[in-house]
Amino acid sequence: MLKLGVNIDHVATLREARYRGREPGEPDPVAAALACEAAGAHGITAHLREDRRHIQDRDVWRLRQTIQTRLNLEMANAPEIVDIALRLRPHIVCLVPERRQEITTEGGLDVQADISALALTRARLNDAGIEVSLFVAPDPAQIEAAAMVGSQFVELHTGAFAEQFHDPTQRAVELARLIAAAQQARQLGLQVNAGHGLNCQNLTALHRVPHLVELNIGHSIVSRALTVGLTAAVKEMLALMQSYAGGIVAAA
Ligand code: PXP
């Protein structure tokens, strides 16, 4: 069964827009996480950025203590944040690139350029009992480098696929890249997650990608929650994911 991790950063973004530097503020990302779990989400994803623009340290500690599913901590390979992760002990860490000026995580990690530093952090996290995922573009060189780092997972960046979704030719190109990357990752012994820019419109097309374990989805679920509520938004996404059959799609 394809699992859903809900990224709750956007709930914290809304809180910080009004209450930056003040506690507790609203809305509460931990309450949102619990609602997602109650609606059937298999995990909660939160990105503790170095600039703390949305999720705060207190949020990740409360999430760790409160949620019943799995906490996926997204983070840069930065010493301060690695130290926090080693103390927090989330179930899994997804290492992502981080640029101060970006609105959201823009590209995948350049694993190839940073194999030894990533391998060191991967080993420290694994030694603390934390699984490690690397957020990468569906690029053969990056997948190969991820295997060299020794991570348990890669999370395939679906941003280009989502951006090109409305252009059938480009969508096919991006889908082919994701399919090839998932096959390569699996052959190299990596488990495969995916995320970024996924929504109710583009999700079904992603069913052609094999070996997917979990999708991490944030913006579209939180946006949809404004009109239908968080419970319904999570359930809608889960319903669309239910027919995933490991990349096999019934002919229309
Ligand atoms: N996966 C990773 C690694 C991300 O950085 C993000 C965005 O924070 C997501 C998934 C979720 O992307 P979106 O908010 O577009 O669904």
Side-chain angles (χ1 to χ4, degrees), residues 112 136-147 156 177 180-181 184-185 188 190:
Q112 218 185 3
V136 290
D139 168 344
Q142 298 299 342
I143 307 287
E144 200 173 318
L156 298 179
R177 290 179 71 207
Q184 181 192 3
L188 290 169
L190 294 156

Side-chain angles (χ1 to χ4, degrees), residues 5-7 9-10 45-47 49 54 72 74-75 94-97 103-107 134-136 155-159 162 194-199 215-221:
V6 181
N7 183 315
D9 296 348
H10 305 286
T45 296
H47 185 170
R49 294 186 74 107
H54 38 55
N72 171 24
E74 277 180 18
M75 52 179 253
C94 181
L95 293 170
V96 301
I103 292 171
T104 178
T105 315
E106 278 167 4
L134 303 178
F135 188 48
V136 290
E155 179 170 329
L156 298 179
H157 196 317
T158 50
H196 213 284
L198 299 177
N199 59 32
L215 302 180
N216 286 305
I217 306 180
H219 185 86
S220 69
I221 289 180

Side-chain angles (χ1 to χ4, degrees), residues 150-173:
S151 68
Q152 286 69 53
F153 286 82
V154 280
E155 179 170 329
L156 298 179
H157 196 317
T158 50
F161 159 77
E163 286 291 322
Q164 302 296 341
F165 181 72
H166 295 289
D167 174 336
T169 310
Q170 284 308 311
R171 181 208 310 178
V173 169

